[in-house]
Amino acid sequence: MERTQERAAAGGPEEPAPEHREAGTALELLVHGVGGTTPQEMLNDPRTVRITGDDTAAVFRRAEDADAEQRPGDHRGEPVPEAYVWCNLTSGNGSRALWLLLLPFMVVNLAHWMRPAAHGRRRAVRLYGLLVRLAGLSLTVLLVAAACEVALDLTAWQCAGTLACAERHSWLGFLSPQVSGGGWWSPPGRRLALAALVPAALTGLLWYLSLRTWNAYESQQPMDRGDEPDDDTGRTALGRPGFWYGRRLVARLRAAHTAAGLLTVAAAVGSAAARFDRRPGGPAVLDTLGWLLTAALAAGAVAVVAVVSRRGRSERRLDRELDERLVRRLPLAALGLLLLALVYAGWARPGWESAGRLPGDAAFGALALAQGLLVVALGVVAHALHRTRPDPRAAMRGLGGPAVALLACALGGVMSGGVAQRVSDWLDGTGASLDGPPVLLTWQASVIPLLLAVLLVLCGVLARRTVRLARAERTAVEAGLEGEPGDPGRTRSIARARAMAALTDRGPLLVAVTSATTLLLGTAALVGALTTDEVPAEAAEGTYAFAHGAAETAQALGSWLVGLGFLLFVTWGRRAYKDASARRTIGILWDVGTFWPRAAHPFAPPCYAERAVPDLTWRIATWTRATGGRLVISGHSQGSVLAAAAAWQLAAPDRKRVALLTYGSPLERLYGRWFPAHFGPAALTSLHHDVDCWRNLYRLTDPIGGPVRLPGDRGPEVDRAPLKDPLAYGRTERLPLPAPILGHSDYQADPAFAEERQRLLARLRPGVPAPRRTGQRSEADADGAQGSSGRSSA
C-alpha cells in the first residue's frame, strides 16, 4: 500500500483501478473483546508482525502474511487475518486502578448517552444534556467539598483546635494553639489556609490527569469526511464526522470543573473568616473585603455554570478549534480568587477560636437537594423524549439515564461520607473530643444497611427465578437430544448455564429497584439531617428502645460498611488490572463506561474509543482504497461495538466494500437497551443497510452476547439461529472427550464461524469495472470508482 502511494506521488504509471485487481484479495480484521488478548492468540500463530500502530494499540499479522497484499493468490480464497489489539487502552499497570476512584464521574457520563431516541425534539435533547452536565458539575463540587471537609474541618479546625486530639497526633502540634504555644500557624484562619492546599492539590491532580489523557485519547483525529447537514436525518450520531473527536468539549468542561473545584476551596476558606468578620464590632475593612470576596466567588460560580450550560459537542463536523482564552483564563481567575481567599483568611484576627464544626451541613444539604431536583427534572425530560418514539426494548422505558445519574450522585455522596467518617474515627480515638463530619454525611452512611437489605431481598427473588428458569431449560435441553441418551448431570449444567446467562436481561430491574430505593432513602436522610441537626443515634434518643438501638446499629454499621467497601473497591480494582480473570469479571461494565466520550464530565476515565475507532476507520478505509479487495470486520464482544462504530464512520463507498461479522455481541442486548438513541432499532437497521452484509452469532449460554433483533424480516437475515453449546452433548467420534460449555468464549471454535465468514466473503462482489486511467489519480476519483461497488443486504 505504501509503495502504491509513493508511485502515485512520484508521477509514475498508475496501477490498475481497484476493481481490476485480484478478485481474491480478502482481509479479515479481528477485533477482540473485553479483557484483551495477545496477537499470537488472536492469529493462532506465535510469529506475528506489527504492521501499523504503536505500543498502545496496533494491527498485527502473521509473519507469513506480512506482505500478503502483494501475493493475493497465495491464500486460495482464504482471507488474510489481521488482529487489532486495543487492550492497553483500558488495562495496563496497577496505577490505572486509581481510575476507579473516578467511578461517579464515569457513571454520570454514561447517563448522558442513555438518552431515549427522539425525532424532532432538539430543545428537549439539549435540555437533557444540560441537566446531565449540571449533575456532573455537582459531583465535582461534592468531591472537592468532601476533601475540604476532611482537610479543613476535621483536621485543621476540629482536631488541631482540640488539645486532646492535637496531642494524640503529634504531627498536628504546630497547628495547635496550646501545643505550639500560640505559634504562627495556630490561628484558625492560617490553619484553614494551610489545609486548603490539600483539596486544591486534588483539583490540580484531576486537571492534570484529564489533560494528560486528553492528549493521549481525544487528540486522535478521525478521518475528515466533511461537514454534515444540520437537519435531523434520523440516523445514529455515531456516524457523524466529529463524534469521536471531543477535545474541544473536554477542554471547555475541564476548565469549568477545575475552576469549580478551586472556587469551592476558596469558598470553604473564605466563608469561615467572613462569618467571623460580620460579628458586631468587627473590623469594617475586613468585613468589606469579605463581602467583596463573596461577590467575586458568586460571579465565578455563575461563569462556571454558564460555561457548562453552553451547547457541548460539535458532532456534525470535525471541530479542531479550541476556546483558548476560556480554557486558560477561567481556571487562572479561579486560582487568583483562591489565593486572595487564603490571604484574607490568614490575616490576623485576635479572639478568633475554632469551636464545633465548620458550617458544612448547609453546603452538603444544598448539594444533595440540587442533585435530587436535577435527577427529577432529568426523569421528566427523558419520559417526554421516550413518548415521542417509544421503544419497548429500552431499559426502564427510557428512564435508564435518570436512574444511572441518581446512582452516580448517590455513589459520590456515599464515598464522600464514608471517607469523612473514617477520617473522623481515626482522628478521634475516644469518640468524644470531636464533633465529627456534618450530620448529613452520617445520615447518608446510615441508610446503606437498609439499601443492602433491599438488594439482598431482590437477589433472593432473582435467584428463585433463575432456579425456575433452569428447570424449564432442562426440558428444552432434553428435547434437543434427538435420540441421544441423556445425562442428568450434563443436562443440569447446560440448563444452569442458560439460566445464569439470562440474568443479564434482569439488569434493568436491578437498576430500577436500586435507584428507586436510593431516592427514597436519600430523601429520608436529607429530611432527617435538616430537621434534627443530629446524627441518627442522637436523634433517636428518647424514643422507643428498639428505634434507638436500630439507629445506633445502622449508624455504626453504615460507617464501617462504607470504609470497608471503599478499601475493597480500591484493592479489587487494582487486582482487576493485574489478573486477567478478575478483569474479565468487571471488564464489560468498565469497558462500557469508558467506551463513550467524556461529554458530561471531563474528569471521568478517558474514552478509549476515541483512539480505537479512528484506528479502525483509517485501517479499513486505506486498505479497501489501496487494494479494492473484500474486507470482513470480525468483532467479538466489545470488539463488535468498536467494529460497528468504525463502520458507521466510514464513507459510503468504503462501507459498501465491508462485511460485518459479530459474535458474542452486546450491540442490542446491552447497548441497544441502555443507549437507545445511539444503538436502538433504527440505528442498528441503518447499520444493516449501510454495510454490504452482516451476520451475528450468539449462544443461549452467553451472558453478554445476544441477537441483534432487527425489526421485521431483517432480523433472521442478520441473526443466525443460536449456536449449539456445548458443541456435542455427549462423546462423539469428532469430540471423544466431553465438550466444554463455552458461553462467551471461543466462538471461532464453532464450525459456524468459518461457514458464516465464507458466506460474507462470497456476498462481497466487485463492482462494475472502471476505465483505466493514466497519470495521477486523486483520492476523490478513487472514492467515486468505489462508490459503484457492493450492494446492500437490506
Side-chain angles (χ1 to χ4, degrees), residues 152-431:
L152 275 67
D153 185 15
L154 295 176
T155 305
W157 183 266
Q158 295 188 39
C159 187
T162 304
L163 178 60
C165 185
E167 290 179 340
R168 188 181 305 112
H169 302 282
S170 58
W171 54 277
L172 288 176
F174 74 104
L175 296 177
S176 172
Q178 296 88 355
V179 176
S180 67
W184 194 87
W185 287 107
S186 61
R190 293 173 185 172
R191 278 187 269 147
L192 294 178
L194 181 62
L197 297 178
V198 174
L202 174 62
T203 305
L205 176 63
L206 293 175
W207 171 86
Y208 168 74
L209 291 177
S210 178
L211 179 64
R212 187 169 65 89
T213 55
W214 175 64
N215 290 329
Y217 291 80
E218 280 88 356
S219 60
Q220 302 294 320
Q221 295 190 16
M223 299 190 74
D224 193 349
R225 296 187 286 110
D227 297 349
E228 285 194 352
D230 292 333
D231 59 318
D232 189 358
T233 61
R235 305 173 71 87
T236 177
L238 273 74
R240 296 173 182 169
F243 186 89
W244 300 108
Y245 194 65
R247 62 194 304 261
R248 181 179 185 181
L249 173 65
V250 174
R252 186 164 64 243
L253 288 181
R254 182 175 64 248
H257 283 246
T258 302
L262 296 176
L263 292 175
T264 301
V265 181
V269 176
S271 61
R275 192 169 45 256
F276 178 78
D277 293 337
R278 295 186 190 121
R279 75 191 191 286
V285 175
L286 291 180
D287 187 21
T288 303
L289 290 177
W291 283 110
L292 291 176
L293 179 62
T294 302
L297 292 176
V302 171
V304 167
V305 173
V307 171
V308 173
S309 300
R310 289 178 58 187
R311 186 179 179 184
R313 294 172 56 80
S314 302
E315 296 174 354
R316 296 188 182 277
R317 61 189 180 90
L318 196 56
D319 191 357
R320 298 183 177 89
E321 299 177 359
L322 290 179
D323 305 323
E324 294 287 350
R325 295 182 179 180
L326 172 66
V327 169
R328 294 178 181 178
R329 293 182 181 181
L330 187 60
L332 289 177
L335 181 60
L337 288 177
L338 174 59
L339 295 177
L340 291 176
L342 297 182
V343 174
Y344 168 71
W347 207 264
R349 291 176 174 83
W352 188 18
E353 296 179 357
S354 59
R357 301 188 186 96
L358 281 176
D361 291 282
F364 283 102
L367 270 176
L369 180 60
Q371 289 176 342
L373 294 177
L374 286 173
V375 169
V376 171
L378 189 65
V380 173
V381 176
H383 177 67
L385 290 174
H386 178 71
R387 291 181 60 184
T388 62
R389 184 180 288 182
D391 181 3
R393 288 283 296 173
M396 300 175 60
R397 298 183 178 180
L399 295 179
V404 168
L406 174 64
L407 294 180
C409 296
L411 185 60
V414 168
M415 292 176 64
S416 302
V419 172
Q421 189 64 53
R422 293 268 53 84
V423 173
S424 177
D425 293 343
W426 171 61
L427 293 174
D428 190 10
T430 62

Side-chain angles (χ1 to χ4, degrees), residues 443 528-529 531-543 547-548 551 555:
W443 275 87
T531 55
T532 65
D533 198 26
E534 295 177 333
V535 297
E538 295 177 356
E541 289 182 356
T543 60
H548 184 247
Q555 180 176 325

Side-chain angles (χ1 to χ4, degrees), residues 429-448:
T430 62
S433 58
L434 301 183
D435 290 340
V439 295
L440 177 60
L441 299 183
T442 305
W443 275 87
Q444 290 175 338
S446 300
V447 301
I448 292 179

Side-chain angles (χ1 to χ4, degrees), residues 466 469-470 472-480 491-505 669 699-703 722-726 729 741 743:
T466 303
L469 181 59
E473 288 292 344
R474 293 180 196 173
T475 304
V477 173
E478 292 172 352
T491 300
R492 282 195 299 269
S493 298
I494 299 173
R496 189 184 308 113
R498 292 183 181 181
M500 293 297 293
L503 282 176
T504 302
D505 300 321
R669 191 178 191 181
R699 301 186 181 110
L700 297 179
T701 56
D702 190 341
L723 302 184
K724 189 176 181 181
D725 190 28
Y729 180 85
I741 299 175

